[in-house]
Amino acid sequence: MARIVMKFGGTSMAGIERIRSVAARVKREVDAGNQVAVVVSAMAGETDRLVGFCREASSLYDPREYDVVVAAGEQITSGLLAIALQAAGVPARSWLGWQLPIQTDAAHAKARIGEIAVDALAASMAAGEVAVIPGFQGLAEDGRVTTLGRGGSDTSAVAVAAAIKADRCDIYTDVDGVYTTDPRIVPRARKLNKVTYEEMLELASVGAKVLQTRSVGLAMKEQVRVQVLSSFTGPDAPMADTLPGTMIVGEEEAGQQENGDVERQLITGIAHDKNEAKITLTSVPDQPGAVSAIFEPLAAANINVDMIIQNIAHNHGSTDVTFTVPSADLARSLEALNQARESIGFAELVHDTRVAKVSVVGVGMRSHAGVASTMFTTLGKRGINIQAISTSEIKVSVLIHEDETELAVRMLHTAYGLDAADAAA
Amino acid sequence: MARIVMKFGGTSMAGIERIRSVAARVKREVDAGNQVAVVVSAMAGETDRLVGFCREASSLYDPREYDVVVAAGEQITSGLLAIALQAAGVPARSWLGWQLPIQTDAAHAKARIGEIAVDALAASMAAGEVAVIPGFQGLAEDGRVTTLGRGGSDTSAVAVAAAIKADRCDIYTDVDGVYTTDPRIVPRARKLNKVTYEEMLELASVGAKVLQTRSVGLAMKEQVRVQVLSSFTGPDAPMADTLPGTMIVGEEEAGQQENGDVERQLITGIAHDKNEAKITLTSVPDQPGAVSAIFEPLAAANINVDMIIQNIAHNHGSTDVTFTVPSADLARSLEALNQARESIGFAELVHDTRVAKVSVVGVGMRSHAGVASTMFTTLGKRGINIQAISTSEIKVSVLIHEDETELAVRMLHTAYGLDAADAAA
C-alpha cells in the first residue's frame, strides 16, 4: 500500500463526463490498495470567468475579495469529484482550504503555503475515504480566504503530498511526461523516465512548460517524488491506459541505474525560449559604478535581467553593455533606461527581439568538463553565431538569432546523444 | 443612525452592472448614516447551473457535497459586491457562512439556522465597514458547509437581522411590496403599507409568492421588522428611486393608526392557489379508525393534506371523504391510497386537479364575526359552488372550480372593500 496524491488540471475537470473519467482513474489507484488524496483545479475557463468578473467590478479590486471570488471555482469541482467518486462506489469527501486548513501567508492572490493540518485528513484517508482537496486555495492567519496565484494547484498538490508524507505526487497534465526537448522540434526526442528537481527547474524556467516552477522548487525542498503523466481523456485514449510518465526526484534516486536502463546521460535535455529580448547600451563610460547605474533602474521596475555581457572597453574609455530581459518587459525596460540616460551616460540604446535562448541542462555536467565546448563547437560548425553566454552548475545557455532556434536544438540534441534510437525522424 | 440588513436576490446580482446598482443602493443607506449588512443571493441562473452539475454527477448525490458545490454561487456574489462597494468608495468586506460562522443543524441542503456569532461582524460594522454576507449558506457543527434550501437567502437575511438586532430587514424583490391581491387579476389591488407576520404567512403559503414562508416565520419568532420593496434596476427605473415597500411587523405595530392612514381593514388580502388537487374516496366505512386508515399512508409518504371534508354518512353506514393535496404530490398520493385500498375499504378513488383555493386573510377577523358569511354570500350570489371550506383564526379558505378563480378573487376584493379608490380598472 502506498499513499499518493493525484492532481488534475482544468482540462480534466471541464464538465461532468471528464470528472467521471477522473473518478475512474482515482478508483484504479484505490482498488490497487492505495490511500489517495486528489487535488483539483477549477473547470477550464472558470477561473478566467471569475477573474473577469472581478476586473469588471473594479480595475483596482481588493485582492482579499478577489480570493473569495476565484476560490469558488475549485470549491465547485472538489464537491463534484467527491460526488462522482461516491457514484463510482469510492468513499470520498471534499476538504476545502479553510477546512483542513491549508495555512498560508497573507499575500492575497499570490499566497505562499505554510503549514497544512493533516490529522483529520489522515484519519479520513486511513478509514478508506479518498480526500478531494481544491487546489489553489488557502487560509490566512486572520481567517480569510487566500489563493496561490495562477497555476497554484500544482503547488497545492506538492504541499499536500509533503504534509501527508505521500510516496508519490502524480500530476496529470496534457503531456505524457518530460522530454529531452520539444518533440515538435525534434521528433526523435525521448521521454525521460527520471529527471532531478534541479534539472526540472532549469527545463521549466527555460521553456519546457509542464509544471509550475514554484511547485518544483517546493518538491525539491520537501523531497516529494513527483510524477508527470498524461491525463488525456479523449475517447481514443481512455485514461485507463495511462502510461508511466516522468518521475521528478532527488539526484541520488535519479542517478541510480535501473534494470535494462542505460547509464545516466551527461545531458538531460535541451530547452529553448523565444520570449527574451536583447538590449545593448553603446559607449557606456568604463568606470566604477557604471554597471549599477544601468541595472538599478531595472531592478526598481521589478524587471528580471538574465544574460549580461560587458564588451571589451573601447580605446576611448567606454564600453558596450548587452543583456536580456523578458520580451513582455521590453517596453518598460527601455522606458526606465531612457529616463536614467543622464546618470548612465550611454550613446545609443539598441534592442532586438529576434533572439532565442537555447540551453543544455543536466546534473551530469557537474563532473564532466567539455560540455560547454561541445555546445560552442556544434553551433559554430553550422555557422550559428553566439551573441551571449550564461552558465550555471547544471546549465549552459547561449543567445542566438531566433531563426536558428530549431536548427540549434536539433544539432545539440544529436551532439549530446539524446536522439532516440528507434523513433522515425 | 439605524442598523439595517438589506437583502438582494439573484436578479439583482445577475452581472456586474446590476451589482454596481446594488452597491449604489447600499451606498445611499450608508451615506444616510446607517450601519449596513447586505445579504446576497447567487447570480440568477447560477444555482440552477450548480444543482444541474450535481444531478449530472449522480442522481443520488451526497447532500454534504451538494452543499459545497452550490454554496459557491453566493460566495462569488458576496466577494463581487464587496469589490463594487469599495469601488464606490464604501468600505466593505465579505463574511462567508463559515467565517462568522452562521451555525446550522446538519440537515444538509435544507439546514436550519442556529446561532450566528456576531462579535467580529458587529465590530467591523461599528468601524464603518459594510458587511456582505452570502445568503443560503451555513456551517454545521462538524465544520462542514450547509445550505438552507432554495430561497434560503430570505431566511439568512432575517436571521442576520435578528442576530445583530437590526432596526429593519429590507428584502429587495421583483415586486414593490405586498398587495391586497394579485394585481394581474385585480388592477385595483392596493399595496399594503403594513401587514402582520401571521397575515404574511397565510398570504405567502396560499400563493402570494413574495417571501419565503420560512423567513416570515423566523421574523415573527424573532420580532424582526421586515420590509419588502422593489429592486427593479432596469435603465428606466433606477433603484435610487425606490419607493417605500410593505412593512411586515407585529400585530401591535400593524394596528397603530398612522398619520393620514385610514383605520386598519378587517381583511388584509385575498390569496389564491391553483396548485391543489382534490381527492375523494367514496363509500368509506363509517366507523372508528376509518379516517386514520386514509391519512396514515399519506403521512408516511410525507404528503401534506390540506382541506378535509367528511360527508354525511350514507344510509348504509358508509361515507365519502374529500381532501386536497399539492398537485405535485397527486400521483404519489393516489399510489399510496391504492396500495392501502384493502385497509381503507373505499369503493372509488376520484381526483380532480381543476380546483383552486381562494382565501381571505386578516388579523381583523379575530374580533369580527361575519367574515366567512360575507365570503359565502358573495360567491353564492354569482353561482360559484364551494366544494370545501377550511378556516383558521385569521383566514377563511374555500375550494372552487379553477375556472372561477379570477372571478371569485375580484368579487371578494370588492366585497371586503379592498379596491383602491383612485386606480383605473
Side-chain angles (χ1 to χ4, degrees), chain B residues 351-414:
Chain B
H351 68 270
D352 183 1
T353 57
R354 307 210 55 211
V355 293
K357 184 163 74 169
V358 173
S359 309
V360 299
V361 175
V363 290
M365 72 173 70
R366 275 191 193 137
S367 51
H368 285 76
V371 167
S373 88
T374 300
M375 186 177 198
F376 305 151
T377 309
T378 305
L379 298 176
K381 267 189 200 160
R382 286 300 291 252
I384 296 172
N385 186 39
I386 296 172
Q387 303 181 24
I389 299 167
S390 73
T391 62
S392 78
E393 260 200 293
I394 64 164
K395 182 183 71 164
V396 181
S397 301
V398 295
L399 196 72
I400 61 174
H401 192 282
E402 190 181 58
D403 289 348
E404 297 167 329
T405 311
E406 291 78 8
L407 175 63
V409 168
R410 285 184 203 117
M411 302 292 306
L412 295 170
H413 200 265
T414 303

Side-chain angles (χ1 to χ4, degrees), chain A residues 62 65 68 75 86 94 99, chain B residues 62 65 68 75 86 94 143:
Chain A
D62 180 346
E65 301 299 343
V68 166
Q75 176 169 332
Q86 292 176 5
S94 61
Q99 282 175 324
Chain B
D62 181 346
E65 300 300 341
V68 166
Q75 176 168 333
Q86 292 176 6
S94 62

Side-chain angles (χ1 to χ4, degrees), chain B residues 50 96 108 116 147 160 183 234 259 268-269 291 320 342 388:
Chain B
L50 297 174
L96 302 180
H108 285 273
I116 300 180
T147 65
V160 167
N259 290 339
T268 304
V291 172
D320 291 352
E342 218 161 307

